[in-house]
């Protein structure tokens, strides 16, 4: 048995424990929570800082890891997408080496589980041997072309079918974004996921042209599609924000994970909560700054009891794959978000969003959630610019 203690233990599902002790067995399973005064000091592994569960990264594109540094910052989403399409190609060896390195980087940064987008099969061999637990989202899109929905569905369904799940991993078919999925393709995706509860993610309200497309059928996406020779003759503006289109065609019986939400308002959040009982929101602050130089209004989510989670997005749109760095960005630019709230977003809420909460997300007896040490905290004992993470378990 290991008996690990620090200045504070944050179990997440209960109040923090000063000088708490976490007792784990050789398999890393939690056996007991206690306090330091009940033990001889020689029995303990003593650390300075706070102990928390392993991080859960609810949104990543591991397959794009080879594109680190290739796409300029601050361009906005539409030029960013164009650059990804134009520069995605690379040798198989380069792609696989970058995927393996990114997977290791997440592990070393205290991440225990990842919600990962897969358009192709490139990450599947690494996931089979990874120390991380993955929920793989095979992503579908047809650029609002209903006549092409079946062809595109068959193409991405073939990717989905090739993923053989390691123990404890999960997968589902998911729509890319409201601006890229037709009603017919939504129906085909829903049919695959029907019959059992899954997590379904969708990129949401990441850039002003997205809402503009649905409100007015104008703006950057009309030009973007036109540049690729894609007509939007069959598309009609709903005169509502884009999330309402997604809510109309998605299945509320699943756990639904809306990703980015940079422009989501209180009304958008309330509409989603009225639509489904298990709605989660993934924020990727460093990617939002990288692409659009903008952040969500976190107060609107807090005020509406939203179940926020944390993602890193990909190395194409980020400088690293670190949940801690995402939390530090929020703490820097929107410091009203409480420390304990941030920790819950990064752990238990993420585990719940992926359906992994039986084993991950909180320090509870019987769980094998991983343990991280946060150290070099600020004077309040909270996140500061110098705060680091060390994986203990």
């Amino acid at each position: 048995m290991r008996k690990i203690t620090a200045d504070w233990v944050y179990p997440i599902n209960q109040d923090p424990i000063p000088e708490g002790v976490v007792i784990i067995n050789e398999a890393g399973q939690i056996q007991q929570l206690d306090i330091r005064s009940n033990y001889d000091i020689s029995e303990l592994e003593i650390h300075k800082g706070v102990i928390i569960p392993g991080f859960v990264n609810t949104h990543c594109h591991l397959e794009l890891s080879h594109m680190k540094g290739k796409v300029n910052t601050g361009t906005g989403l539409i030029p960013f997408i164009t650059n990804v399409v134009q520069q995605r190609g690379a040798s198989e060896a380069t792609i696989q080496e970058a995927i393996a390195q990114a997977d290791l980087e997440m592990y070393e940064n205290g991440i225990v589980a990842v919600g990962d987008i897969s358009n192709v099969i490139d990450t599947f061999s690494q996931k089979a041997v990874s120390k991380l637990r993955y929920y793989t989202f095979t992503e579908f899109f047809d650029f609002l072309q209903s006549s092409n929905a079946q062809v595109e569905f068959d193409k991405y369904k073939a990717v989905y079918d090739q993923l053989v799940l390691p123990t404890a991993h999960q997968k589902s078919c998911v729509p890319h974004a409201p601006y890229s999925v037709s009603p017919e393709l939504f129906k085909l995706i829903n049919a695959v996921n029907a019959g059992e509860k899954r997590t379904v993610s969708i990129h949401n309200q990441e850039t002003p042209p997205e809402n503009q497309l649905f409100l007015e059928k104008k703006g950057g996406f009309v030009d973007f599609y036109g540049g690729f020779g894609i007509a939007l003759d069959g598309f009609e503006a709903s005169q509502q924000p884009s999330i309402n289109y997604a809510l109309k065609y998605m299945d509320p019986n699943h756990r639904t994970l809306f990703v980015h939400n940079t422009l989501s308002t209180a009304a958008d959040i309330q509409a989603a909560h009225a639509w489904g009982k298990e709605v989660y929101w993934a924020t990727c602050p460093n990617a939002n700054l990288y692409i659009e130089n903008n952040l969500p209004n976190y107060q609107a989510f807090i005020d509406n009891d939203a179940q926020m989670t944390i993602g890193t997005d990909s190395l194409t749109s980020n400088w690293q794959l670190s949940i801690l760095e995402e939390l530090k960005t929020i703490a820097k630019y929107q410091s009203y978000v409480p420390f304990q709230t941030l920790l819950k977003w990064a752990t238990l809420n993420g585990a719940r969003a992926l359906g992994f909460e039986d084993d991950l997300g909180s320090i509870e007896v019987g769980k094998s959630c991983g343990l991280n040490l946060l150290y070099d905290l600020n004077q309040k004992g909270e996140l500061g610019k110098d705060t680091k993470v060390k994986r203990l378990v």
Side-chain angles (χ1 to χ4, degrees), residues 54-62 102-103 105-107 109-117 132-135 137 257 259 282-284 309-315 318 320-324 326 345-347 349-351 353-354 356 360:
F55 290 131
V56 179
N57 179 2
T58 55
H59 184 71
C60 188
H61 295 254
L62 186 63
D103 177 84
E105 178 182 339
M106 286 194 282
Y107 178 84
N109 284 331
I111 294 170
V112 295
V114 184
D116 186 60
I117 302 292
L132 304 177
R133 184 184 304 185
Y134 281 93
Y135 201 122
F137 302 118
L257 180 64
V259 178
T283 182
C284 308
T309 72
I310 306 292
T312 62
D313 215 332
S314 75
L315 285 173
N318 207 333
Q320 68 281 306
L321 300 179
S322 167
I323 295 297
L324 174 60
E326 304 298 322
W345 291 1
T347 56
N349 281 7
L354 300 182
F356 292 160
L360 304 178

Side-chain angles (χ1 to χ4, degrees), residues 109-381:
N109 284 331
I111 294 170
V112 295
V114 184
D116 186 60
I117 302 292
S118 291
N119 303 128
V120 293
I121 66 171
D122 291 348
T123 61
F124 293 179
S125 59
Q126 180 61 37
K127 287 172 180 175
V129 298
S130 176
K131 296 178 181 179
L132 304 177
R133 184 184 304 185
Y134 281 93
Y135 201 122
T136 297
F137 302 118
T138 303
E139 197 172 62
F140 292 65
F141 43 89
D142 62 0
F143 301 112
L144 297 174
Q145 303 300 295
S146 298
S147 61
N148 207 31
Q150 187 66 54
V151 171
E152 294 303 311
F153 172 81
D154 291 343
K155 179 170 68 176
Y156 294 111
K157 179 62 161 53
V159 174
Y160 174 83
D161 288 340
Q162 288 186 64
L163 177 58
V164 178
L165 293 173
T167 303
H169 291 224
Q170 295 293 331
K171 66 176 181 177
S172 58
C173 297
V174 304
H176 168 253
Y179 58 79
S180 60
V181 178
S182 71
E184 287 73 15
L185 186 54
F186 269 114
K187 293 174 185 176
L188 293 168
I189 294 168
N190 291 344
V192 178
N193 292 330
E196 60 180 283
K197 179 175 279 190
R198 305 182 189 224
T199 300
V200 176
S201 77
I202 184 169
H203 295 79
N204 177 62
Q205 294 177 306
E206 192 176 354
T207 186
E210 178 179 335
N211 276 336
Q212 190 178 10
L213 176 67
F214 287 89
L215 290 168
E216 307 175 274
K217 197 180 177 179
K218 295 179 180 179
F221 275 112
V222 175
D223 297 333
F224 172 75
Y225 284 151
F228 284 95
I230 300 172
L232 293 179
D233 297 340
F235 174 82
E236 294 184 7
S238 63
Q239 299 182 337
Q240 291 181 305
S242 63
I243 192 172
N244 293 279
Y245 173 79
L247 297 177
K248 181 177 180 179
Y249 293 108
M250 294 180 77
D251 185 347
N253 294 309
H254 297 298
R255 296 178 296 267
T256 304
L257 180 64
F258 292 99
V259 178
H260 292 304
N261 318 300
T262 319
L263 302 175
S264 298
T265 65
D268 296 327
I269 298 165
Q270 291 161 13
H273 290 176
W275 167 81
K277 294 181 179 179
E278 290 195 67
V279 170
Y280 298 86
W281 308 85
T283 182
C284 308
N286 283 322
N288 297 153
L289 293 175
Y290 193 109
I291 299 171
E292 291 267 339
N293 199 26
N294 196 13
L295 289 174
N297 175 12
Y298 295 114
Q299 191 63 58
F301 292 92
I302 293 171
D303 290 345
N304 286 281
D305 297 321
Q307 298 192 79
M308 294 293 292
T309 72
I310 306 292
T312 62
D313 215 332
S314 75
L315 285 173
T316 316
S317 59
N318 207 333
W319 299 270
Q320 68 281 306
L321 300 179
S322 167
I323 295 297
L324 174 60
E325 291 303 318
E326 304 298 322
L327 299 182
K328 288 163 69 173
T329 294
I330 298 173
K332 178 179 180 180
Y333 292 107
Q334 297 196 25
S335 59
Y336 57 82
V337 183
F339 179 51
Q340 285 186 249
T341 298
L342 289 175
L343 294 182
K344 186 175 181 181
W345 291 1
T347 56
L348 185 56
N349 281 7
R352 288 171 173 166
L354 300 182
F356 292 160
E357 72 272 22
D358 287 349
D359 200 35
L360 304 178
S362 58
I363 302 174
E364 297 182 62
V365 173
K367 287 192 174 186
S368 299
C369 60
L371 296 178
N372 287 337
L373 176 73
L374 299 183
Y375 63 100
D376 289 347
L377 301 164
N378 64 17
Q379 292 181 344
K380 295 180 180 180

